Amino acid sequence: MMYLWKRRMVQFCHRLLSLPSRTWKWLWWKYDLFILTMKVIFYNEFLSTSYVFEVLMTPMVWVVDHFSKALGPILVFLVVTLTSSVVAVVYIIGLPHYWNKSPVLTCFLIVLGHWLLINVVFHFTMAAITDPGTPPKGTLISEAVSVCKKCIAPKPPRTHHCSVCNRCVLKMDHHCPWLNNCVGHFNHRYFFSYMAYMTLGAIFIMSLGFEIAYREIWLGGDGGVGLGEAIHYVLEEGGIPGDNPDEEVEPLEGYPVSINGTHLMPMYDGTVGTPIRLERPEEEQEKQRRNYWYRFAIMYSGMLTTGVFFSLGGLGTWHGRLISRGETSIEAHINRKETERLAKIDQVYKNPYDFGVYENWRIFLGISHGRSVWRVLLPSPHPPDGSGLTWPNAIITAANHSKIA
């Protein structure tokens, strides 16, 4: 009897200790059974993890795409409004300042500034209204690399599907909500030129506006306390002049006398000085209001142009590096993945559209067929090289040149 009791206790302890393991095995068996059931019901030869992830992300992608469509016109209006406001500040504040300083210098600045402004307006407009290009329908595409799953149509090289525009775009770089348009083969140059001239315009305004901002805001301009003086009193004196009621006021010499409420008559050792006209209260308020908006406009333009310089300057620099390598932002991601994949098997990936820095820029800017660099420095609607349906291959071209040599 005692032996039987011990045996049952041993079996009970064994089952208790093996309960976590048996529970895990049961759960794993249920999971395998669930996967098997799902495969029996929904099995597809082309099913993969990426396909499942894409299906699960479809609702979120739909929200983003439709939100971008609604937000695009608003952002375009915002770009036009903010740019116009900064230009207005330059005309109202900057132009009179430099004209009073040097008319000859001002004439040069007017020519330089309007050259930048015309290029900014032209390239932004062309980037926004130019169709980036899409594969033609109903015609034979001689060189197709794949079939678009959304359009159910062949895709030429460097072509990708834009979910916002709901179409395939030739040499697609990205969809720009600030242009409310895709950046592709036929408007890529306009997009990059807009960023370049906008950055140069920001540098132009910041460099010339620094003197005005320093005089009006830091030194205080013609009247009032400047930022530099205010900071000095806050750090050194513990307040701003006039805020401390216990502050000693320097005694005034003479006895100003008001005449009819319009002038002060200063007295110097019994001698009457030149009458000084008093400003009326409404005139003083108007002057303070004008100074306030004057300084606000300077600070507004300064902060906006500084933000544009860093944002568009950084973005333009990155796109310039991509152009130097002969790739778009989408291709940069693809090429990086291919480079990592081939590196694992000790192979080197070569971008088939990289012809070298100089040739890549020449192709991108369309400087061919007798076109000079003036087509880049001045507004020019010339189209890029090629139709965007076929692209020369740098690897094949280099091999052919080697054979000829």
Side-chain angles (χ1 to χ4, degrees), residues 228-239:
E229 186 179 355
I231 294 177
H232 169 75
Y233 273 91
V234 169
L235 297 179
E236 301 294 336
E237 307 295 338

Side-chain angles (χ1 to χ4, degrees), residues 247-317:
E247 183 180 0
E248 295 184 0
V249 181
E250 296 182 1
L252 297 176
E253 295 183 0
Y255 300 91
V257 179
S258 175
I259 302 178
N260 296 329
T262 59
H263 290 75
L264 286 179
M265 188 71 70
M267 306 292 293
Y268 302 102
D269 297 330
T271 304
V272 179
T274 304
I276 302 175
R277 184 179 180 276
L278 290 175
E279 292 186 352
R280 297 179 180 179
E282 55 271 16
E283 293 178 352
E284 181 67 23
Q285 293 178 0
E286 180 63 25
K287 182 179 179 181
Q288 292 179 358
R289 188 182 301 110
R290 186 169 57 252
N291 290 338
Y292 167 79
W293 286 110
Y294 194 82
R295 297 181 181 182
F296 173 80
I298 294 173
M299 295 181 64
Y300 163 79
S301 301
M303 290 187 294
L304 191 59
T305 51
T306 303
V308 168
F309 169 74
F310 284 106
S311 58
L312 285 187
L315 185 62
T317 302

Side-chain angles (χ1 to χ4, degrees), residues 115-137:
W115 170 67
L116 294 172
L117 178 61
I118 292 173
N119 274 290
V120 167
V121 174
F122 172 80
H123 288 104
F124 178 81
T125 304
M126 294 298 292
I129 67 175
T130 301
D131 192 297
T134 186
K137 296 181 180 180

Side-chain angles (χ1 to χ4, degrees), residues 85-101 106 205 208-217 290-302:
S85 64
V86 173
V87 172
V89 171
V90 172
Y91 276 116
I92 296 172
I93 297 178
L95 187 59
H97 171 81
Y98 279 95
W99 182 263
N100 295 329
K101 184 177 180 180
T106 306
I205 294 175
L208 297 177
F210 178 79
E211 177 184 338
I212 303 176
Y214 177 77
R215 182 175 65 87
E216 293 295 331
I217 297 177
R290 186 169 57 252
N291 290 338
Y292 167 79
W293 286 110
Y294 194 82
R295 297 181 181 182
F296 173 80
I298 294 173
M299 295 181 64
Y300 163 79
S301 301

Side-chain angles (χ1 to χ4, degrees), residues 14-134:
H14 176 72
R15 290 181 178 180
L16 184 64
L17 294 175
S18 62
L19 180 61
S21 176
R22 289 187 294 110
T23 303
W24 175 254
K25 290 181 179 180
W26 181 83
L27 291 175
W28 191 256
W29 174 74
K30 286 294 184 180
Y31 171 75
D32 289 340
L33 183 61
F34 173 77
I35 295 298
L36 179 61
T37 305
M38 292 297 102
K39 287 185 176 181
V40 169
I41 299 175
F42 303 106
Y43 179 75
N44 190 323
E45 181 67 24
F46 302 100
L47 187 66
S48 62
T49 305
S50 60
Y51 180 80
V52 174
F53 180 76
E54 182 180 352
V55 173
L56 295 177
M57 291 294 292
T58 299
M60 184 179 298
V61 172
W62 182 89
V63 173
V64 173
D65 291 346
H66 286 71
F67 182 73
S68 298
K69 287 182 179 180
L71 192 62
I74 299 175
L75 293 179
V76 171
F77 175 79
L78 190 63
V79 170
V80 175
T81 303
L82 294 178
T83 305
S84 302
S85 64
V86 173
V87 172
V89 171
V90 172
Y91 276 116
I92 296 172
I93 297 178
L95 187 59
H97 171 81
Y98 279 95
W99 182 263
N100 295 329
K101 184 177 180 180
S102 174
V104 177
L105 174 63
T106 306
C107 291
F108 170 76
L109 296 178
I110 289 175
V111 174
L112 179 60
H114 281 83
W115 170 67
L116 294 172
L117 178 61
I118 292 173
N119 274 290
V120 167
V121 174
F122 172 80
H123 288 104
F124 178 81
T125 304
M126 294 298 292
I129 67 175
T130 301
D131 192 297
T134 186

